[in-house]
Amino acid sequence: MKLKYRITLLFTLVVSIILLLLCLAVYYASEVRRQNVLDKKLRNRALTTVNRLLTIKGINNDLLRRIDESTFVTIYDKSVVVYNELQQEIYAYADSNIAAVKIGSAGFKKLLIDDEYSFEQGESHALVISYQIYRKRYTVVSAAYDMDGLERISELKSILLVSFISGILLTFISGLLFSYNIVAAIKKIADEVKEISSKNLSRRIVLHEPKDELYELSDTFNELLARLEESFRMQRHFISNASHELSTPLTSVLSQLEVTMQRERSKDEYKSVLFSVYEDVKNLNQLTRSLLEIAKASGSADGMKLAPVRMDELLMKLPSDLRGIDQRYLVNMDFMPFPDDEKTLLVFGNPDLLYIAVKNVVLNACKYAADHTASVRLLFSEGLIDILVTDNGPGIRAEEQELIFQPFYRSAVSRDKQKGFGLGLSLALRITKLHKGEIKLASTGNTGTCISIRFPIAGKF
């Protein structure tokens, strides 16, 4: 079922329930009032009859009946019966076409609980009253058929029924128009989204005022499209560069082997070719590992082995590991002031990936520093851990600072002086984001570089 029909049916159902409750309330209130008015008339007639019978001298039952017959009231099929304190009938009157409504012993017993009560007998409504006069208690049963009241209630029932049905129809029609206007805007957004594909991700949904939920929905779609466009662009760039970087050592290995196999070579020549092939395969292996690490860090934290990691212990492995890469590399550590609470040292994440991220940043600092020295400082703030990595290298130009975190991008200085693939900082950025952290870079372009890596502590992850 389409959304507009669901909205219409839901809207109609809600309004119908409200109308039904309202109609029932009006009908119930009118019925209660009708009965109260009838009881009031019956009470007045009962009290008038018993007062005339007991207080007016010279009046007898026949005279009182003639008075009752000549009295005009707006009730029909009326009757009045008066009982003395011995439960003996002392007066009875009823219209000519009906029998008087009377009570038995059970009715008198009920008066011991309530001084007044009512009941239905056939079409007549009867009111029983206990009345005391001259220290004697009398019982009066006054009954009648409320034809006028019942006719008004019947008319009201018909009016409410017609109003209820008409209200449902009007609600359905108005709900259909209302839902159509709502769904029309959503359908327009859907039609615009259908026209967007991977080939034209630059298109955006037109935003219309006012800034309501549909405006927010369109704006959210536009933000999603912007992220998808950037992701597709980076993916194409990554695939292009990865293909190039992978094909280069493979082509080199293949060409060297083809040339070598064209004729017999000396032992030294074979050794030289094998060493060259070994270097190419070694670079290829390193590149493949880097690509696998980037793929691992490009997803989400779901499925990864996560645990609290002490950052000071993690960073302490850096000096020896980098010295193993190159004896010239030196890492200076500064953890002061050291926090008293051990919990502020813990980061929730994957220890291997966290170490790779920090190690890549520090390795870059050692590579490009003039003295191959990197300074690593650990700072602590409320709920956060900052790792500052600084060097005294040539720095990074302003126009390149936004590019160095892209896969396979290498600055002009790195291309001239160092070997590499341009994947280290990109991998560090992805791992940091995977752990809800961030990387910031500060460099004037000629006095070194400072990279800040920030992680939330385990308690704030």
Side-chain angles (χ1 to χ4, degrees):
M1 183 183 293
K2 290 187 176 181
L3 179 61
K4 63 179 180 181
Y5 297 127
R6 291 211 306 267
I7 293 175
T8 301
L9 292 178
L10 180 61
F11 180 69
T12 304
L13 178 62
V14 171
V15 176
S16 298
I17 293 174
I18 295 174
L19 284 176
L20 178 61
L21 294 176
L22 182 61
C23 291
L24 291 176
V26 171
Y27 181 80
Y28 176 77
S30 300
E31 176 64 17
V32 170
R33 177 165 176 75
R34 182 193 69 82
Q35 292 184 5
N36 290 337
V37 170
L38 179 60
D39 286 343
K40 184 177 180 181
K41 292 179 180 179
L42 294 176
R43 186 181 300 106
N44 291 338
R45 179 170 179 79
L47 296 178
T48 299
T49 300
V50 74
N51 277 315
R52 286 174 178 173
L53 180 64
L54 301 176
T55 61
I56 298 177
K57 294 181 180 181
I59 196 168
N60 54 33
N61 289 3
D62 293 335
L63 179 59
L64 185 56
R65 288 191 185 93
R66 287 197 294 271
I67 293 174
D68 284 337
E69 289 175 356
S70 62
T71 302
F72 177 78
V73 292
T74 57
I75 50 179
Y76 302 88
D77 296 341
K78 54 189 177 293
S79 69
V80 177
V81 180
V82 181
Y83 299 92
N84 61 17
E85 58 186 356
L86 299 177
Q87 300 181 3
Q88 296 172 344
E89 182 181 314
I90 60 176
Y91 174 77
Y93 167 78
D95 285 347
S96 59
N97 57 336
I98 64 165
V101 176
K102 300 179 181 181
I103 60 173
S105 58
F108 287 105
K109 290 180 181 179
K110 192 170 183 181
L111 278 177
L112 298 176
I113 302 173
D114 299 317
D115 290 338
E116 179 181 311
Y117 68 91
S118 61
F119 65 92
E120 305 292 330
Q121 182 173 306
E123 294 183 344
S124 297
H125 177 79
L127 181 68
V128 183
I129 301 173
S130 179
Y131 183 74
Q132 185 173 350
I133 187 172
Y134 303 132
R135 296 184 180 179
K136 294 182 179 180
R137 184 166 295 278
Y138 295 87
T139 302
V140 186
V141 181
S142 179
Y145 172 61
D146 188 18
M147 186 170 64
D148 291 341
L150 291 175
E151 286 179 356
R152 289 194 296 270
I153 287 295
S154 179
E155 291 175 359
L156 177 62
K157 185 189 296 183
S158 300
I159 293 172
L160 291 176
L161 182 60
V162 173
S163 300
F164 178 69
I165 296 174
S166 301
I168 292 177
L169 293 176
L170 290 175
T171 301
F172 181 80
I173 295 172
S174 59
L176 196 60
L177 296 175
F178 173 74
S179 62
Y180 178 79
N181 290 331
I182 292 179
V183 175
I186 299 176
K187 189 175 185 302
K188 186 176 181 181
I189 295 174
D191 292 338
E192 292 184 16
V193 172
K194 285 180 182 178
E195 296 177 0
I196 300 173
S197 65
S198 59
K199 296 180 181 179
N200 60 346
L201 284 174
S202 59
R203 287 193 57 178
R204 296 293 181 268
I205 300 172
V206 181
L207 301 178
H208 296 284
E209 298 290 342
K211 293 185 178 181
D212 53 9
E213 286 79 3
L214 293 177
Y215 181 95
E216 293 179 2
L217 177 63
S218 300
D219 190 48
T220 302
F221 269 120
N222 286 340
E223 292 177 359
L224 175 62
L225 290 171
R227 293 195 296 270
L228 286 175
E229 182 182 13
E230 177 65 17
S231 177
F232 272 76
R233 186 188 64 79
M234 292 182 62
Q235 184 184 43
R236 286 193 293 267
H237 178 72
F238 178 82
I239 292 174
S240 175
N241 287 309
S243 300
H244 173 73
E245 294 291 340
L246 286 171
S247 63
T248 298
L250 290 175
T251 303
S252 176
V253 169
L254 184 60
S255 61
Q256 291 182 79
L257 293 177
E258 286 179 347
V259 171
T260 304
M261 293 173 62
Q262 287 179 357
R263 62 181 180 83
E264 290 292 332
R265 305 285 178 175
S266 64
K267 181 179 178 181
D268 292 336
E269 287 177 328
Y270 280 122
K271 188 175 180 180
S272 175
V273 170
L274 288 175
F275 182 78
S276 179
V277 169
Y278 168 77
E279 289 295 325
D280 288 336
V281 173
K282 182 180 177 182
N283 290 336
L284 182 61
N285 180 59
Q286 183 180 352
L287 175 60
T288 304
R289 289 177 58 188
S290 298
L291 292 175
L292 290 174
E293 288 172 349
I294 284 184
K296 185 178 180 181
S298 297
S300 65
D302 298 336
M304 282 199 322
K305 183 180 179 181
L306 303 177
V309 181
R310 278 194 57 149
M311 290 307 296
D312 58 333
E313 296 178 355
L314 194 74
L315 298 179
M316 290 299 295
K317 297 189 294 182
L318 289 172
S320 59
D321 285 358
L322 293 184
R323 183 64 64 87
I325 295 174
D326 193 319
Q327 289 294 322
R328 297 173 300 169
Y329 293 168
L330 179 64
V331 180
N332 294 325
M333 314 292 290
D334 182 7
F335 296 165
M336 300 303 292
F338 204 77
D340 296 328
D341 189 0
E342 181 183 349
K343 293 181 180 179
T344 60
L345 293 165
L346 298 177
V347 171
F348 194 69
N350 183 281
D352 295 333
L353 290 180
L354 287 172
Y355 184 69
I356 289 172
V358 179
K359 180 182 176 182
N360 285 349
V361 175
V362 178
L363 180 60
N364 265 25
C366 291
K367 278 183 181 180
Y368 301 111
D371 55 359
H372 299 291
T373 300
S375 298
V376 179
R377 187 178 181 189
L378 199 58
L379 300 177
F380 308 93
S381 58
E382 187 175 355
L384 298 170
I385 292 180
D386 287 295
I387 304 170
L388 299 183
V389 181
T390 57
D391 63 65
N392 60 355
I396 301 172
R397 292 180 298 182
E399 61 270 19
E400 292 184 315
Q401 291 181 12
E402 293 294 329
L403 303 174
I404 63 169
F405 290 104
Q406 294 184 6
F408 297 105
Y409 181 83
R410 303 186 68 203
S411 65
V413 174
S414 63
R415 286 194 296 267
D416 295 338
K417 295 186 177 181
Q418 296 289 341
K419 292 182 180 181
F421 306 106
L423 295 174
L425 292 181
S426 174
L427 180 58
L429 176 63
R430 298 191 183 200
I431 293 175
T432 302
K433 287 184 175 180
L434 197 64
H435 290 80
K436 299 182 180 180
E438 59 180 6
I439 290 182
K440 293 183 179 179
L441 182 146
S443 178
T444 60
N446 53 15
T447 58
T449 302
C450 176
I451 294 181
S452 169
I453 309 174
R454 170 172 289 182
F455 294 107
I457 64 173
K460 301 290 184 179
F461 185 78

mmCIF file of all heavy atoms in Angstrom, residues 260-293:
data_model
loop_
_atom_site.group_PDB
_atom_site.id
_atom_site.type_symbol
_atom_site.label_atom_id
_atom_site.label_comp_id
_atom_site.label_asym_id
_atom_site.label_seq_id
_atom_site.Cartn_x
_atom_site.Cartn_y
_atom_site.Cartn_z
ATOM 1 N N THR A 260 67.076 -11.440 -19.324
ATOM 2 C CA THR A 260 68.054 -12.413 -18.827
ATOM 3 C C THR A 260 67.936 -13.749 -19.556
ATOM 4 O O THR A 260 68.939 -14.424 -19.832
ATOM 5 C CB THR A 260 67.845 -12.617 -17.316
ATOM 6 O OG1 THR A 260 67.942 -11.349 -16.652
ATOM 7 C CG2 THR A 260 68.888 -13.569 -16.745
ATOM 8 N N MET A 261 66.698 -14.113 -19.922
ATOM 9 C CA MET A 261 66.478 -15.410 -20.551
ATOM 10 C C MET A 261 66.805 -15.419 -22.042
ATOM 11 O O MET A 261 66.787 -16.476 -22.675
ATOM 12 C CB MET A 261 65.003 -15.834 -20.359
ATOM 13 C CG MET A 261 64.641 -16.122 -18.912
ATOM 14 S SD MET A 261 62.867 -16.410 -18.680
ATOM 15 C CE MET A 261 62.639 -17.854 -19.699
ATOM 16 N N GLN A 262 67.151 -14.277 -22.585
ATOM 17 C CA GLN A 262 67.437 -14.233 -24.026
ATOM 18 C C GLN A 262 68.759 -14.928 -24.370
ATOM 19 O O GLN A 262 68.925 -15.431 -25.472
ATOM 20 C CB GLN A 262 67.462 -12.784 -24.495
ATOM 21 C CG GLN A 262 66.075 -12.153 -24.549
ATOM 22 C CD GLN A 262 66.127 -10.705 -25.001
ATOM 23 O OE1 GLN A 262 67.214 -10.143 -25.230
ATOM 24 N NE2 GLN A 262 64.937 -10.088 -25.122
ATOM 25 N N ARG A 263 69.693 -14.979 -23.430
ATOM 26 C CA ARG A 263 70.978 -15.669 -23.692
ATOM 27 C C ARG A 263 71.588 -16.073 -22.358
ATOM 28 O O ARG A 263 71.104 -15.688 -21.298
ATOM 29 C CB ARG A 263 71.943 -14.770 -24.463
ATOM 30 C CG ARG A 263 72.333 -13.510 -23.734
ATOM 31 C CD ARG A 263 73.271 -12.651 -24.578
ATOM 32 N NE ARG A 263 73.661 -11.446 -23.917
ATOM 33 C CZ ARG A 263 74.661 -11.354 -23.027
ATOM 34 N NH1 ARG A 263 75.387 -12.449 -22.719
ATOM 35 N NH2 ARG A 263 74.957 -10.204 -22.460
ATOM 36 N N GLU A 264 72.637 -16.878 -22.468
ATOM 37 C CA GLU A 264 73.310 -17.330 -21.264
ATOM 38 C C GLU A 264 74.023 -16.154 -20.601
ATOM 39 O O GLU A 264 74.580 -15.280 -21.272
ATOM 40 C CB GLU A 264 74.341 -18.420 -21.618
ATOM 41 C CG GLU A 264 73.720 -19.726 -22.054
ATOM 42 C CD GLU A 264 73.010 -20.407 -20.906
ATOM 43 O OE1 GLU A 264 73.408 -20.190 -19.733
ATOM 44 O OE2 GLU A 264 72.023 -21.142 -21.160
ATOM 45 N N ARG A 265 73.997 -16.165 -19.263
ATOM 46 C CA ARG A 265 74.626 -15.103 -18.483
ATOM 47 C C ARG A 265 75.681 -15.715 -17.561
ATOM 48 O O ARG A 265 75.640 -16.908 -17.233
ATOM 49 C CB ARG A 265 73.585 -14.366 -17.635
ATOM 50 C CG ARG A 265 72.409 -13.813 -18.427
ATOM 51 C CD ARG A 265 72.791 -12.579 -19.217
ATOM 52 N NE ARG A 265 71.649 -12.089 -20.021
ATOM 53 C CZ ARG A 265 71.703 -10.970 -20.728
ATOM 54 N NH1 ARG A 265 72.824 -10.259 -20.731
ATOM 55 N NH2 ARG A 265 70.660 -10.606 -21.440
ATOM 56 N N SER A 266 76.554 -14.828 -17.106
ATOM 57 C CA SER A 266 77.571 -15.278 -16.146
ATOM 58 C C SER A 266 76.947 -15.344 -14.754
ATOM 59 O O SER A 266 75.828 -14.864 -14.514
ATOM 60 C CB SER A 266 78.752 -14.315 -16.144
ATOM 61 O OG SER A 266 78.330 -13.030 -15.677
ATOM 62 N N LYS A 267 77.673 -15.927 -13.843
ATOM 63 C CA LYS A 267 77.192 -16.063 -12.462
ATOM 64 C C LYS A 267 76.933 -14.705 -11.836
ATOM 65 O O LYS A 267 75.920 -14.503 -11.160
ATOM 66 C CB LYS A 267 78.228 -16.853 -11.661
ATOM 67 C CG LYS A 267 77.833 -17.067 -10.218
ATOM 68 C CD LYS A 267 78.901 -17.881 -9.503
ATOM 69 C CE LYS A 267 78.516 -18.056 -8.027
ATOM 70 N NZ LYS A 267 79.559 -18.835 -7.288
ATOM 71 N N ASP A 268 77.853 -13.774 -12.060
ATOM 72 C CA ASP A 268 77.679 -12.436 -11.476
ATOM 73 C C ASP A 268 76.469 -11.721 -12.080
ATOM 74 O O ASP A 268 75.747 -11.000 -11.375
ATOM 75 C CB ASP A 268 78.936 -11.595 -11.700
ATOM 76 C CG ASP A 268 80.119 -12.116 -10.903
ATOM 77 O OD1 ASP A 268 79.870 -12.794 -9.871
ATOM 78 O OD2 ASP A 268 81.265 -11.833 -11.272
ATOM 79 N N GLU A 269 76.254 -11.936 -13.383
ATOM 80 C CA GLU A 269 75.100 -11.295 -14.021
ATOM 81 C C GLU A 269 73.782 -11.863 -13.477
ATOM 82 O O GLU A 269 72.831 -11.103 -13.194
ATOM 83 C CB GLU A 269 75.169 -11.495 -15.535
ATOM 84 C CG GLU A 269 76.241 -10.656 -16.208
ATOM 85 C CD GLU A 269 76.329 -10.940 -17.699
ATOM 86 O OE1 GLU A 269 76.075 -12.093 -18.089
ATOM 87 O OE2 GLU A 269 76.622 -9.997 -18.445
ATOM 88 N N TYR A 270 73.745 -13.190 -13.319
ATOM 89 C CA TYR A 270 72.542 -13.796 -12.728
ATOM 90 C C TYR A 270 72.316 -13.286 -11.300
ATOM 91 O O TYR A 270 71.188 -12.999 -10.880
ATOM 92 C CB TYR A 270 72.654 -15.318 -12.722
ATOM 93 C CG TYR A 270 72.337 -15.967 -14.046
ATOM 94 C CD1 TYR A 270 73.261 -16.786 -14.700
ATOM 95 C CD2 TYR A 270 71.076 -15.768 -14.631
ATOM 96 C CE1 TYR A 270 72.958 -17.376 -15.919
ATOM 97 C CE2 TYR A 270 70.787 -16.370 -15.845
ATOM 98 C CZ TYR A 270 71.714 -17.163 -16.488
ATOM 99 O OH TYR A 270 71.420 -17.745 -17.691
ATOM 100 N N LYS A 271 73.401 -13.186 -10.579
ATOM 101 C CA LYS A 271 73.304 -12.694 -9.194
ATOM 102 C C LYS A 271 72.789 -11.272 -9.149
ATOM 103 O O LYS A 271 71.953 -10.911 -8.310
ATOM 104 C CB LYS A 271 74.679 -12.801 -8.534
ATOM 105 C CG LYS A 271 74.649 -12.500 -7.052
ATOM 106 C CD LYS A 271 76.029 -12.738 -6.432
ATOM 107 C CE LYS A 271 75.979 -12.439 -4.927
ATOM 108 N NZ LYS A 271 77.319 -12.669 -4.303
ATOM 109 N N SER A 272 73.255 -10.441 -10.078
ATOM 110 C CA SER A 272 72.817 -9.043 -10.138
ATOM 111 C C SER A 272 71.329 -8.955 -10.479
ATOM 112 O O SER A 272 70.582 -8.163 -9.893
ATOM 113 C CB SER A 272 73.644 -8.290 -11.173
ATOM 114 O OG SER A 272 73.158 -6.974 -11.318
ATOM 115 N N VAL A 273 70.902 -9.808 -11.438
ATOM 116 C CA VAL A 273 69.479 -9.800 -11.822
ATOM 117 C C VAL A 273 68.603 -10.281 -10.655
ATOM 118 O O VAL A 273 67.541 -9.688 -10.358
ATOM 119 C CB VAL A 273 69.261 -10.677 -13.061
ATOM 120 C CG1 VAL A 273 67.762 -10.868 -13.321
ATOM 121 C CG2 VAL A 273 69.931 -10.054 -14.274
ATOM 122 N N LEU A 274 69.052 -11.362 -9.998
ATOM 123 C CA LEU A 274 68.290 -11.871 -8.858
ATOM 124 C C LEU A 274 68.172 -10.834 -7.753
ATOM 125 O O LEU A 274 67.114 -10.686 -7.116
ATOM 126 C CB LEU A 274 68.930 -13.154 -8.322
ATOM 127 C CG LEU A 274 68.777 -14.399 -9.197
ATOM 128 C CD1 LEU A 274 69.557 -15.576 -8.601
ATOM 129 C CD2 LEU A 274 67.300 -14.766 -9.328
ATOM 130 N N PHE A 275 69.260 -10.105 -7.498
ATOM 131 C CA PHE A 275 69.210 -9.070 -6.466
ATOM 132 C C PHE A 275 68.235 -7.956 -6.857
ATOM 133 O O PHE A 275 67.463 -7.471 -6.020
ATOM 134 C CB PHE A 275 70.614 -8.485 -6.257
ATOM 135 C CG PHE A 275 70.657 -7.437 -5.183
ATOM 136 C CD1 PHE A 275 70.655 -7.786 -3.843
ATOM 137 C CD2 PHE A 275 70.678 -6.085 -5.523
ATOM 138 C CE1 PHE A 275 70.685 -6.814 -2.855
ATOM 139 C CE2 PHE A 275 70.705 -5.111 -4.544
ATOM 140 C CZ PHE A 275 70.710 -5.468 -3.197
ATOM 141 N N SER A 276 68.244 -7.580 -8.132
ATOM 142 C CA SER A 276 67.305 -6.542 -8.593
ATOM 143 C C SER A 276 65.860 -7.019 -8.490
ATOM 144 O O SER A 276 64.968 -6.278 -8.065
ATOM 145 C CB SER A 276 67.635 -6.158 -10.030
ATOM 146 O OG SER A 276 66.729 -5.184 -10.512
ATOM 147 N N VAL A 277 65.646 -8.284 -8.907
ATOM 148 C CA VAL A 277 64.306 -8.846 -8.793
ATOM 149 C C VAL A 277 63.876 -8.927 -7.322
ATOM 150 O O VAL A 277 62.720 -8.648 -6.969
ATOM 151 C CB VAL A 277 64.240 -10.234 -9.445
ATOM 152 C CG1 VAL A 277 62.933 -10.944 -9.113
ATOM 153 C CG2 VAL A 277 64.413 -10.108 -10.954
ATOM 154 N N TYR A 278 64.832 -9.292 -6.455
ATOM 155 C CA TYR A 278 64.541 -9.368 -5.014
ATOM 156 C C TYR A 278 64.093 -8.012 -4.479
ATOM 157 O O TYR A 278 63.129 -7.931 -3.704
ATOM 158 C CB TYR A 278 65.789 -9.861 -4.281
ATOM 159 C CG TYR A 278 65.695 -9.713 -2.781
ATOM 160 C CD1 TYR A 278 64.944 -10.606 -2.010
ATOM 161 C CD2 TYR A 278 66.362 -8.673 -2.129
ATOM 162 C CE1 TYR A 278 64.850 -10.453 -0.640
ATOM 163 C CE2 TYR A 278 66.272 -8.523 -0.758
ATOM 164 C CZ TYR A 278 65.520 -9.412 -0.017
ATOM 165 O OH TYR A 278 65.424 -9.254 1.337
ATOM 166 N N GLU A 279 64.760 -6.949 -4.884
ATOM 167 C CA GLU A 279 64.382 -5.606 -4.432
ATOM 168 C C GLU A 279 62.985 -5.232 -4.924
ATOM 169 O O GLU A 279 62.171 -4.654 -4.175
ATOM 170 C CB GLU A 279 65.408 -4.579 -4.926
ATOM 171 C CG GLU A 279 66.763 -4.652 -4.230
ATOM 172 C CD GLU A 279 66.656 -4.292 -2.759
ATOM 173 O OE1 GLU A 279 65.837 -3.410 -2.425
ATOM 174 O OE2 GLU A 279 67.381 -4.898 -1.941
ATOM 175 N N ASP A 280 62.717 -5.590 -6.192
ATOM 176 C CA ASP A 280 61.383 -5.272 -6.717
ATOM 177 C C ASP A 280 60.290 -6.056 -5.989
ATOM 178 O O ASP A 280 59.216 -5.516 -5.671
ATOM 179 C CB ASP A 280 61.329 -5.576 -8.220
ATOM 180 C CG ASP A 280 62.130 -4.563 -9.036
ATOM 181 O OD1 ASP A 280 62.310 -3.437 -8.533
ATOM 182 O OD2 ASP A 280 62.540 -4.891 -10.159
ATOM 183 N N VAL A 281 60.547 -7.348 -5.750
ATOM 184 C CA VAL A 281 59.570 -8.177 -5.042
ATOM 185 C C VAL A 281 59.400 -7.692 -3.602
ATOM 186 O O VAL A 281 58.284 -7.688 -3.048
ATOM 187 C CB VAL A 281 59.987 -9.660 -5.083
ATOM 188 C CG1 VAL A 281 59.065 -10.503 -4.205
ATOM 189 C CG2 VAL A 281 59.957 -10.173 -6.516
ATOM 190 N N LYS A 282 60.488 -7.268 -3.003
ATOM 191 C CA LYS A 282 60.428 -6.740 -1.644
ATOM 192 C C LYS A 282 59.549 -5.486 -1.585
ATOM 193 O O LYS A 282 58.702 -5.336 -0.687
ATOM 194 C CB LYS A 282 61.842 -6.424 -1.149
ATOM 195 C CG LYS A 282 61.894 -5.923 0.279
ATOM 196 C CD LYS A 282 63.351 -5.647 0.684
ATOM 197 C CE LYS A 282 63.399 -5.081 2.098
ATOM 198 N NZ LYS A 282 64.809 -4.772 2.483
ATOM 199 N N ASN A 283 59.747 -4.584 -2.546
ATOM 200 C CA ASN A 283 58.893 -3.387 -2.614
ATOM 201 C C ASN A 283 57.422 -3.746 -2.873
ATOM 202 O O ASN A 283 56.507 -3.144 -2.310
ATOM 203 C CB ASN A 283 59.395 -2.449 -3.712
ATOM 204 C CG ASN A 283 60.714 -1.789 -3.358
ATOM 205 O OD1 ASN A 283 61.046 -1.657 -2.182
ATOM 206 N ND2 ASN A 283 61.471 -1.386 -4.366
ATOM 207 N N LEU A 284 57.254 -4.745 -3.775
ATOM 208 C CA LEU A 284 55.893 -5.196 -4.083
ATOM 209 C C LEU A 284 55.223 -5.787 -2.842
ATOM 210 O O LEU A 284 54.041 -5.541 -2.575
ATOM 211 C CB LEU A 284 55.936 -6.223 -5.214
ATOM 212 C CG LEU A 284 54.580 -6.762 -5.688
ATOM 213 C CD1 LEU A 284 53.714 -5.639 -6.228
ATOM 214 C CD2 LEU A 284 54.794 -7.831 -6.772
ATOM 215 N N ASN A 285 55.956 -6.561 -2.067
ATOM 216 C CA ASN A 285 55.424 -7.147 -0.845
ATOM 217 C C ASN A 285 55.059 -6.067 0.170
ATOM 218 O O ASN A 285 53.994 -6.111 0.809
ATOM 219 C CB ASN A 285 56.461 -8.109 -0.249
ATOM 220 C CG ASN A 285 55.962 -8.755 1.035
ATOM 221 O OD1 ASN A 285 54.939 -9.422 1.063
ATOM 222 N ND2 ASN A 285 56.697 -8.530 2.121
ATOM 223 N N GLN A 286 55.946 -5.070 0.293
ATOM 224 C CA GLN A 286 55.663 -3.978 1.222
ATOM 225 C C GLN A 286 54.429 -3.196 0.778
ATOM 226 O O GLN A 286 53.590 -2.806 1.598
ATOM 227 C CB GLN A 286 56.879 -3.051 1.315
ATOM 228 C CG GLN A 286 56.703 -1.922 2.309
ATOM 229 C CD GLN A 286 57.942 -1.026 2.375
ATOM 230 O OE1 GLN A 286 58.970 -1.347 1.778
ATOM 231 N NE2 GLN A 286 57.818 0.092 3.085
ATOM 232 N N LEU A 287 54.309 -2.946 -0.526
ATOM 233 C CA LEU A 287 53.147 -2.232 -1.044
ATOM 234 C C LEU A 287 51.864 -3.024 -0.809
ATOM 235 O O LEU A 287 50.836 -2.470 -0.414
ATOM 236 C CB LEU A 287 53.345 -1.968 -2.546
ATOM 237 C CG LEU A 287 52.166 -1.318 -3.288
ATOM 238 C CD1 LEU A 287 51.827 0.037 -2.688
ATOM 239 C CD2 LEU A 287 52.476 -1.200 -4.776
ATOM 240 N N THR A 288 51.920 -4.350 -1.050
ATOM 241 C CA THR A 288 50.740 -5.194 -0.848
ATOM 242 C C THR A 288 50.301 -5.174 0.611
ATOM 243 O O THR A 288 49.108 -5.084 0.915
ATOM 244 C CB THR A 288 51.042 -6.624 -1.298
ATOM 245 O OG1 THR A 288 51.475 -6.615 -2.665
ATOM 246 C CG2 THR A 288 49.798 -7.485 -1.184
ATOM 247 N N ARG A 289 51.265 -5.262 1.514
ATOM 248 C CA ARG A 289 50.930 -5.210 2.941
ATOM 249 C C ARG A 289 50.295 -3.884 3.307
ATOM 250 O O ARG A 289 49.338 -3.826 4.082
ATOM 251 C CB ARG A 289 52.182 -5.449 3.770
ATOM 252 C CG ARG A 289 52.696 -6.886 3.732
ATOM 253 C CD ARG A 289 53.970 -7.043 4.522
ATOM 254 N NE ARG A 289 53.781 -6.630 5.910
ATOM 255 C CZ ARG A 289 54.784 -6.519 6.792
ATOM 256 N NH1 ARG A 289 56.040 -6.776 6.405
ATOM 257 N NH2 ARG A 289 54.533 -6.160 8.026
ATOM 258 N N SER A 290 50.829 -2.805 2.747
ATOM 259 C CA SER A 290 50.257 -1.482 3.033
ATOM 260 C C SER A 290 48.827 -1.384 2.518
ATOM 261 O O SER A 290 47.945 -0.836 3.192
ATOM 262 C CB SER A 290 51.123 -0.388 2.398
ATOM 263 O OG SER A 290 52.425 -0.387 2.935
ATOM 264 N N LEU A 291 48.592 -1.921 1.313
ATOM 265 C CA LEU A 291 47.230 -1.886 0.766
ATOM 266 C C LEU A 291 46.266 -2.707 1.613
ATOM 267 O O LEU A 291 45.111 -2.313 1.824
ATOM 268 C CB LEU A 291 47.245 -2.401 -0.682
ATOM 269 C CG LEU A 291 47.956 -1.516 -1.704
ATOM 270 C CD1 LEU A 291 48.010 -2.208 -3.064
ATOM 271 C CD2 LEU A 291 47.247 -0.171 -1.840
ATOM 272 N N LEU A 292 46.740 -3.869 2.102
ATOM 273 C CA LEU A 292 45.889 -4.693 2.958
ATOM 274 C C LEU A 292 45.588 -3.975 4.279
ATOM 275 O O LEU A 292 44.468 -4.064 4.813
ATOM 276 C CB LEU A 292 46.559 -6.039 3.230
ATOM 277 C CG LEU A 292 46.649 -6.996 2.033
ATOM 278 C CD1 LEU A 292 47.458 -8.235 2.391
ATOM 279 C CD2 LEU A 292 45.251 -7.397 1.578
ATOM 280 N N GLU A 293 46.566 -3.291 4.817
ATOM 281 C CA GLU A 293 46.344 -2.550 6.061
ATOM 282 C C GLU A 293 45.347 -1.413 5.847
ATOM 283 O O GLU A 293 44.499 -1.137 6.701
ATOM 284 C CB GLU A 293 47.668 -2.003 6.589
ATOM 285 C CG GLU A 293 48.581 -3.091 7.163
ATOM 286 C CD GLU A 293 49.952 -2.558 7.510
ATOM 287 O OE1 GLU A 293 50.259 -1.411 7.114
ATOM 288 O OE2 GLU A 293 50.717 -3.273 8.182
#
